[in-house]
Amino acid sequence: MAEHKVIFHIDELNKWELLLKNVTNLLDMVIQDRIVIEVLANAEAVLYYDNKHTAGNQILANLHEKGVLFVACNNALMGYKLNPQDIHSFVHIVPAGVYELMIKQSEGYAYIKP
Amino acid sequence: MAEHKVIFHIDELNKWELLLKNVTNLLDMVIQDRIVIEVLANAEAVLYYDNKHTAGNQILANLHEKGVLFVACNNALMGYKLNPQDIHSFVHIVPAGVYELMIKQSEGYAYIKP
Amino acid sequence: MAEHKVIFHIDELNKWELLLKNVTNLLDMVIQDRIVIEVLANAEAVLYYDNKHTAGNQILANLHEKGVLFVACNNALMGYKLNPQDIHSFVHIVPAGVYELMIKQSEGYAYIKP
């Protein structure tokens, strides 16, 4: 069972580089199957999930393989006219990002906003 | 009794539009009397409560009617020379915004910083 | 025993002034030995701990004397080529800032990001 649970929140596109470095640093500190890491993107930050936005493709895929759960807010996807087929297939979609942030904290997740 | 409790933190004036959209999206997800939503503004963000700052008047009033509690840090109000009569009458004033953020989290509120 | 525990997170250099004001306001609200306040700096924010960066020297030292724990992320220190002897001697170093943020929240600390 996971000892640690954390949800990262990102709503600014230019914070992705820092966030992904944060997640990588965190993974270096723990045994992979003892932690649950979720990255919740809403607002403009969902644009980074666009599979035509190639800057982060490789690192997103690598971290996904290491168990990191990438999540997108559907309100934001609709606001930026992104369809589910426009974003990476491993990205999970939730109806409302802020609802997800609230629920996860009530389940004991720590909250970190880079 | 409320199932969900969340405190939104805002200290930058230009984040209000995003924050109010976040709050609106959250209200769409839940039954109104099953959630407590507080918005805590400190630093320059309290300027948005100025009743002469008309940009957000209508949406603040609408969300207040839907049960959202808007709160201002008194240290910030004093720093920006705003008196209680200068801000919307439905805004609650607390002595220190960061103390409020700490206490509410200890009472089980989730923390979200747009 | 401390009644209140809070961890402040800073990863932007230009947020220090606001953060230190926040911490000062919080200390004014509580009896000093009833609260634990930790300030966790990662990313570029660790540059403020450089003892050649004199802007904050006095206020950091004053708050340290009042019991505030200042912490630096070692990943960030290495990234900015800061050695332990380059930063204030009262700054505590942890291997990874985000791990510290996660652990402290699991121990009941509130999280505040100015």
Side-chain angles (χ1 to χ4, degrees):
Chain A
M1 210 185 102
E3 286 169 34
H4 304 298
K5 295 181 285 189
V6 59
I7 189 161
F8 285 88
H9 178 202
I10 181 163
D11 55 12
E12 294 172 281
L13 197 50
N14 67 5
K15 293 285 174 69
W16 271 104
E17 191 183 348
L18 173 58
L19 180 141
L20 295 172
K21 201 188 293 181
N22 282 175
V23 170
T24 302
N25 286 339
L26 184 55
L27 277 169
D28 285 344
M29 289 291 296
V30 291
I31 297 169
Q32 195 178 309
D33 61 0
R34 299 252 177 95
I35 192 165
V36 176
I37 301 178
E38 179 170 335
V39 175
L40 184 289
N42 65 346
E44 67 174 30
V46 298
L47 291 168
Y48 201 77
Y49 288 148
D50 187 341
N51 50 32
K52 292 181 294 299
H53 183 94
T54 55
N57 277 6
Q58 198 54 56
I59 185 165
L60 286 177
N62 287 348
L63 290 172
H64 164 68
E65 275 168 37
K66 289 181 179 168
V68 177
L69 179 64
F70 290 99
V71 180
C73 169
N74 196 44
N75 290 312
L77 291 177
M78 290 192 300
Y80 287 94
K81 305 195 188 313
L82 283 172
N83 294 309
Q85 66 270 26
D86 296 327
I87 64 173
H88 297 297
S89 57
F90 56 76
V91 174
H92 184 67
I93 299 173
V94 293
V98 286
Y99 183 78
E100 178 80 357
L101 291 169
M102 181 182 71
I103 292 297
K104 291 301 179 184
Q105 287 182 72
S106 74
E107 292 173 359
Y109 282 61
Y111 172 92
I112 298 178
K113 177 90 185 290
Chain B
M1 211 184 101
E3 286 169 35
H4 304 300
K5 294 181 286 189
V6 59
I7 189 161
F8 285 87
H9 178 202
I10 181 163
D11 56 11
E12 295 172 280
L13 197 48
N14 67 6
K15 294 285 174 70
W16 270 104
E17 192 183 348
L18 174 58
L19 180 141
L20 295 172
K21 202 188 293 181
N22 283 175
V23 170
T24 302
N25 286 340
L26 184 54
L27 277 170
D28 286 345
M29 290 291 295
V30 291
I31 297 169
Q32 194 177 310
D33 61 1
R34 299 251 178 96
I35 192 165
V36 175
I37 301 178
E38 179 169 335
V39 175
L40 184 288
N42 65 346
E44 65 175 30
V46 297
L47 291 167
Y48 200 78
Y49 288 149
D50 187 341
N51 50 33
K52 292 181 294 298
H53 184 94
T54 54
N57 277 6
Q58 197 54 54
I59 185 166
L60 286 177
N62 287 348
L63 290 172
H64 164 67
E65 274 169 36
K66 289 181 179 169
V68 177
L69 179 63
F70 289 100
V71 179
C73 169
N74 196 44
N75 289 312
L77 291 177
M78 290 193 300
Y80 287 94
K81 304 195 188 312
L82 283 172
N83 294 310
Q85 65 270 26
D86 295 327
I87 65 173
H88 298 297
S89 57
F90 55 77
V91 174
H92 184 66
I93 299 173
V94 294
V98 286
Y99 183 79
E100 178 80 358
L101 291 170
M102 181 182 70
I103 293 297
K104 291 301 180 184
Q105 287 182 72
S106 74
E107 293 173 358
Y109 282 60
Y111 172 92
I112 298 178
K113 177 90 186 288
Chain C
M1 211 185 101
E3 287 170 33
H4 304 300
K5 295 182 285 189
V6 60
I7 189 161
F8 285 87
H9 178 202
I10 180 162
D11 55 12
E12 295 171 282
L13 197 50
N14 67 5
K15 293 285 174 70
W16 271 104
E17 192 183 347
L18 173 58
L19 180 140
L20 295 171
K21 203 189 291 182
N22 282 175
V23 171
T24 302
N25 286 340
L26 183 55
L27 277 170
D28 285 345
M29 289 291 296
V30 292
I31 297 169
Q32 194 178 309
D33 60 1
R34 299 251 178 96
I35 192 165
V36 175
I37 301 178
E38 179 170 335
V39 175
L40 185 288
N42 65 346
E44 67 174 31
V46 297
L47 291 168
Y48 201 77
Y49 288 149
D50 187 341
N51 50 33
K52 291 181 296 298
H53 184 94
T54 54
N57 277 7
Q58 198 54 56
I59 185 166
L60 286 177
N62 287 348
L63 290 172
H64 165 68
E65 275 168 37
K66 289 180 180 170
V68 177
L69 180 63
F70 290 100
V71 179
C73 168
N74 196 45
N75 290 312
L77 291 177
M78 290 192 299
Y80 287 94
K81 305 195 188 309
L82 283 172
N83 294 309
Q85 65 269 26
D86 297 326
I87 65 173
H88 297 297
S89 57
F90 54 77
V91 174
H92 185 66
I93 299 173
V94 294
V98 285
Y99 182 79
E100 178 80 358
L101 291 169
M102 181 183 70
I103 293 297
K104 291 301 179 183
Q105 287 182 71
S106 74
E107 293 173 357
Y109 281 62
Y111 172 91
I112 297 177
K113 178 91 185 288

